[in-house]
Amino acid sequence: EIQVLGDNHGNIVHLFERECSIQRRHQKLVEEAPSGVLTPELRTAMGEAAVNVAKACDYSGAGTVEFLLDSDHNFYFLEMNTRLQVEHPVTELITGLDLVEQQIRVAEGEALVFAQSDLSINGHALELRVCAEDPMNDFLPTIGKIEAYNPPVGENIRVDDFVDAGYDIPIFYDNMISKLIVWAPTRIEAIEKMKDAINQYEIVGLETTLSFGSFVLNHPNFVSADFDTQFVQKYFSHEQVLESEKTLSTAAALLAIELLKTTDKPVIASGERDSDWFVNRRNG
C-alpha cells in the first residue's frame, strides 16, 4: 500500500510504501516500511500510480492506495482507503513526518510545505498489531480482564495503546489492544529490535498476538522477505509451531552443552525465553 497526502491547493505526494502481506482473515497483523521486495524503479512507478489515483478525485488529506503485487512484480489496483490507516506509524518513522499533524494542517487550509523531491526513506520500521485473540485457536477473539500490563520501553520503540492492568476486553469492539512499532537503520536490525520488544511486552490474563509476532519474526521466509498473503496458511499450523519450538529448544540445549565445556560456572538458561517463546506467551 502507498501512503498519499494531499492538500486543498492541488498538491499531492506519496510517502512510499508499506508491506502488509502478513494477514489473517484478510486483515493485517504485521506491517513494515519500506517493502523488502520493491526495486527503486517499481517504488517510483507504484508511487506515481497512487498519486494519479488521488489526483483523479482531487483528494485532500491522508489516504492509502492499495495494490496487489504478483510474483512477476506486476502491480494491480485494489482499493483506496480515504482515511488514516492503523499502520501509519511505520510511515511516520521512515519519513519523519507526523501524519496526524499533516491532516490537521490540511484541514486548516494550509498547503504542504514539501514536494515529492524533498521526501526520502530513512531506515526501516515494523509494526505488530497486538490483538486480544488466540493465534493457536484460529485467531479467535479472547475476552477478559488484563491482570498485568507492562509495555516495552527503549530507544526507537513506540507503543500506541489505551489499556492498563485491570482493563476488561469486551466482546463489542475491535480486539486490537495496542500497536507495537520499532525503527532501526536496517531491516534486519528492525527485526531484532522488534523481537526484543515483544520479549519485553507483558500482557497477563488473556491470549494475544504477541506470540504470533515472535513466530513471524523468527521465520526464515519473513527474514528473507520471501512471503505473501498466504503466509499464515502456508506456515502457521499447530504442527509447524510445535516443530519450531522443538528446533529452538534443541539449539538452546546444544548451546548450553558447549558453554558447560568452557566454564566451571553454572549455566543459566537465558535462551529459555527464545526457545520456548510460544509456550511461555500462551501461559502468560
Side-chain angles (χ1 to χ4, degrees), residues 108-129:
E108 290 180 338
E110 295 184 22
L112 298 181
V113 297
F114 45 83
Q116 192 67 57
S117 58
D118 299 318
L119 301 171
S120 61
I121 296 173
N122 176 34
H124 200 94
L126 286 164
E127 176 179 296
L128 170 65
R129 300 192 190 194

Side-chain angles (χ1 to χ4, degrees), residues 1 19-31 66-68 78-79 81 83 85-87 129 131 133 138-139 174 212 228-233:
E1 58 187 40
E19 168 64 68
C20 304
S21 296
I22 304 295
Q23 307 179 359
R24 52 90 181 93
R25 295 193 293 273
H26 303 293
Q27 188 176 52
K28 307 147 192 172
L29 285 179
V30 178
E31 299 112 346
E66 298 195 3
F67 298 95
L68 293 175
L78 179 63
E79 64 178 351
N81 288 301
R83 54 181 171 80
Q85 296 282 90
V86 171
E87 57 273 19
R129 300 192 190 194
C131 301
E133 57 191 46
D138 198 27
F139 294 93
D174 187 284
F212 174 74
D228 55 32
T229 55
Q230 297 299 302
F231 180 92
V232 169
Q233 292 88 330

Side-chain angles (χ1 to χ4, degrees), residues 17-272:
E17 81 278 0
R18 294 187 290 259
E19 168 64 68
C20 304
S21 296
I22 304 295
Q23 307 179 359
R24 52 90 181 93
R25 295 193 293 273
H26 303 293
Q27 188 176 52
K28 307 147 192 172
L29 285 179
V30 178
E31 299 112 346
E32 61 180 309
S35 170
V37 299
L38 293 196
T39 63
E41 294 77 17
L42 187 55
R43 177 174 292 114
T44 298
M46 294 181 74
E48 290 176 351
V51 168
N52 288 336
V53 168
K55 286 182 176 179
C57 60
D58 296 323
Y59 190 77
S60 68
T64 302
V65 182
E66 298 195 3
F67 298 95
L68 293 175
L69 187 72
D70 68 18
S71 57
D72 296 320
H73 286 190
N74 299 306
F75 62 93
Y76 307 88
F77 174 76
L78 179 63
E79 64 178 351
M80 182 175 184
N81 288 301
T82 54
R83 54 181 171 80
L84 204 61
Q85 296 282 90
V86 171
E87 57 273 19
H88 77 271
V90 294
T91 296
E92 293 183 333
L93 291 181
I94 66 165
T95 61
L97 293 173
D98 184 327
L99 291 178
V100 176
E101 175 189 352
Q102 293 301 319
Q103 285 196 127
I104 294 172
R105 290 182 178 278
V106 168
E108 290 180 338
E110 295 184 22
L112 298 181
V113 297
F114 45 83
Q116 192 67 57
S117 58
D118 299 318
L119 301 171
S120 61
I121 296 173
N122 176 34
H124 200 94
L126 286 164
E127 176 179 296
L128 170 65
R129 300 192 190 194
V130 183
C131 301
E133 57 191 46
D134 187 354
M136 291 294 282
N137 190 21
D138 198 27
F139 294 93
L140 289 179
T142 58
I143 59 174
K145 180 177 291 185
I146 298 177
E147 298 171 6
Y149 183 78
N150 294 292
V153 295
E155 186 178 7
N156 296 320
I157 296 176
R158 169 177 166 178
V159 180
D160 292 2
D161 62 7
F162 70 98
V163 302
D164 209 336
Y167 181 82
D168 279 306
I169 301 295
I171 63 174
F172 307 107
Y173 312 110
D174 187 284
N175 61 4
M176 187 167 65
I177 297 172
S178 69
K179 300 184 292 187
L180 175 59
I181 313 107
V182 302
W183 178 93
T186 67
R187 185 173 186 270
I188 293 300
E189 290 174 291
I191 289 173
E192 291 303 313
K193 181 172 284 290
M194 178 64 88
K195 288 161 65 173
D196 289 341
I198 290 174
N199 282 337
Q200 292 181 45
Y201 211 142
E202 181 187 29
I203 303 177
V204 178
L206 67 168
E207 306 294 348
T208 73
T209 52
L210 285 171
S211 55
F212 174 74
S214 289
F215 178 88
V216 173
L217 293 165
N218 282 284
H219 199 282
N221 285 77
F222 181 81
V223 174
S224 64
D226 181 21
F227 61 91
D228 55 32
T229 55
Q230 297 299 302
F231 180 92
V232 169
Q233 292 88 330
K234 289 178 179 178
Y235 306 119
F236 191 75
S237 68
H238 186 71
E239 294 76 15
Q240 288 168 314
V241 169
L242 292 179
E243 184 61 32
S244 295
E245 290 173 1
K246 185 188 302 181
T247 301
L248 289 169
S249 297
T250 300
L254 291 173
L255 176 60
I257 292 172
E258 290 302 314
L259 289 173
L260 282 171
K261 293 178 181 178
T262 59
T263 181
D264 56 359
K265 297 180 180 179
V267 177
I268 299 173
S270 61
E272 181 182 350

